[in-house]
Amino acid sequence: MSVQSRIHLLDNKLTDAEKRIAAYILAHPDEVINATAKEIGEQTQSSAPSVVRFIKKIGYSSVNEFKLSINSEKNEKRDQKYDDVNLADSFEVTKRKLCNNAILTLEETSEVLKQEQIKTIVHLLEEKEVLFVFGIGASSIIAEDIYQKWGRIGKIIFFEKDLHILTAMLSSHQANSAIWLVSNSGQTREVVKAAQIAKKIDIPIIAQTMLGKNPLSKLADHLIQTSIPKEAFLRSAATNSLFAQLLVVDTIFYSFLQNNEQYFEKIYNSRKLIEEINR
């Protein structure tokens, strides 16, 4: 993820001093490469420790790592900033903005995903006979995608939209099951409540949410996170978050298949049956 993208993702979480540091870095990348933290602090009416804290806040372990990243991005020509659609935009501009936002979201999420995290979740899905999946609103689209994918390979999976019914089902299948909860914000009341219930009866929780600490991430046994698409006036970020979440699901699903080749035949057979229905 680029320095520019990291800064824009945290726009609304920066202090006034951090905003000055961010603005200077974005406006003067060449000078920043050759400046010390103290010199950047002097240019931004802050201090060297404030600059170092800001650099760590946007995800770098050291000033040197931060500078190397800026240097490697210096000659990039692609716009790295989320750009919301405006009512006055032409059709071509609208397409370009939406495409750029989607690509940026997918690239940033791809960088966030780590192989060991995916392997741990795949192992859990192999180990547990029953899988529950739950999400509300837009996240229910992702939950249903999980349900369809694992259902096609014969996994015992339940996708229930009613929290009360889900609770009853969890209590009767708790011995050998796991639950996969989806909430982009990690704050959806019903999803957090489902996690609390699962935690209480010792059902392992896979939580799929965006980066950062939130109520759902704190309850998770296995956490998988996406980038944070920038919120904007027309909420194109709502679409971008779906792209990010779908990438996560697909990455886990194909990793699962690569680890369990016997399921490829089940997918092939289900596709043939569907083709017959559509004739």
Side-chain angles (χ1 to χ4, degrees):
M1 190 186 301
S2 71
V3 172
Q4 187 182 52
S5 294
R6 290 171 189 257
I7 290 173
H8 284 303
L9 289 175
L10 291 172
D11 265 353
N12 60 349
K13 298 180 181 177
L14 300 178
T15 65
D16 289 342
E18 289 169 341
K19 286 177 181 177
R20 293 196 300 271
I21 297 168
Y24 181 78
I25 289 169
L26 293 176
H28 306 282
D30 290 334
E31 288 87 339
V32 167
I33 290 172
N34 298 307
T36 64
K38 181 181 178 182
E39 289 168 339
I40 296 171
E42 290 170 352
Q43 291 292 330
T44 57
Q45 301 175 337
S46 58
S47 63
S50 295
V51 172
V52 173
R53 282 195 297 271
F54 171 78
I55 288 169
K56 290 186 176 180
K57 186 171 185 175
I58 63 173
Y60 295 97
S61 59
S62 67
V63 175
N64 283 339
E65 182 189 12
F66 165 71
K67 289 183 179 182
L68 286 171
S69 185
I70 290 182
N71 191 51
S72 68
E73 295 163 12
K74 239 186 353 176
N75 298 319
E76 283 190 9
K77 295 181 180 179
R78 184 169 67 81
D79 183 6
Q80 292 286 331
K81 182 179 179 180
Y82 283 102
D83 200 357
D84 197 44
V85 176
N86 297 311
L87 295 176
D89 287 341
S90 68
F91 176 69
E92 291 301 324
V93 169
T94 298
K95 284 197 306 181
R96 177 184 58 76
K97 285 182 175 181
L98 291 174
C99 184
N100 180 70
N101 290 348
I103 291 170
L104 189 53
T105 297
L106 291 171
E107 287 180 346
E108 290 173 347
T109 297
S110 178
E111 290 183 20
V112 169
L113 296 178
K114 303 301 179 185
Q115 186 176 12
E116 285 306 311
Q117 287 178 308
I118 301 297
K119 283 175 65 177
T120 301
I121 291 172
V122 166
H123 178 69
L124 178 69
L125 294 172
E126 291 170 338
E127 182 184 76
K128 300 298 182 180
E129 292 180 3
V130 179
L131 177 64
F132 293 91
V133 60
F134 185 60
I136 295 292
S139 293
S140 71
I141 297 171
I142 308 303
E144 186 166 2
D145 185 60
I146 296 167
Y147 170 73
Q148 291 181 2
K149 281 185 167 67
W150 267 267
R152 286 184 64 188
I153 61 175
K155 184 79 174 176
I156 302 173
I157 181 167
F158 296 97
F159 170 43
E160 178 50 57
K161 296 182 180 180
D162 187 293
L163 180 59
H164 294 89
I165 296 174
L166 176 67
T167 301
M169 295 172 71
L170 287 173
S171 64
S172 61
H173 288 86
Q174 65 188 85
N176 197 20
S177 62
I179 188 168
W180 189 335
L181 299 172
V182 185
S183 170
N184 187 58
S185 68
Q187 298 178 3
T188 308
R189 186 184 66 83
E190 295 90 343
V191 178
V192 173
K193 189 66 177 177
Q196 291 169 342
I197 293 165
K199 182 69 72 176
K200 187 175 182 179
I201 59 177
D202 295 323
I203 291 180
I205 301 164
I206 302 168
Q208 184 171 329
T209 182
M210 66 181 180
L211 281 169
K213 292 182 180 179
N214 54 62
L216 182 58
S217 70
K218 292 176 183 177
L219 291 164
D221 298 296
H222 305 278
L223 182 62
I224 189 79
Q225 296 185 297
T226 66
S227 68
I228 312 170
K230 186 177 175 358
E231 291 286 355
F233 176 64
L234 293 180
R235 285 188 60 80
S236 63
T239 301
N240 292 330
S241 66
L242 289 177
F243 290 149
Q245 301 287 7
L246 287 168
L247 175 62
V248 168
V249 173
D250 278 359
T251 302
I252 296 172
F253 183 66
Y254 284 100
S255 297
F256 184 89
L257 291 180
Q258 288 165 347
N259 218 39
N260 299 273
E261 294 183 16
Q262 69 272 22
Y263 290 115
F264 277 101
E265 186 176 351
K266 291 187 177 183
I267 290 178
Y268 174 75
N269 291 336
S270 69
R271 183 179 298 158
K272 287 195 69 175
L273 286 171
I274 292 169
E275 288 173 355
E276 289 179 12
I277 291 170
N278 292 331
R279 284 176 188 167

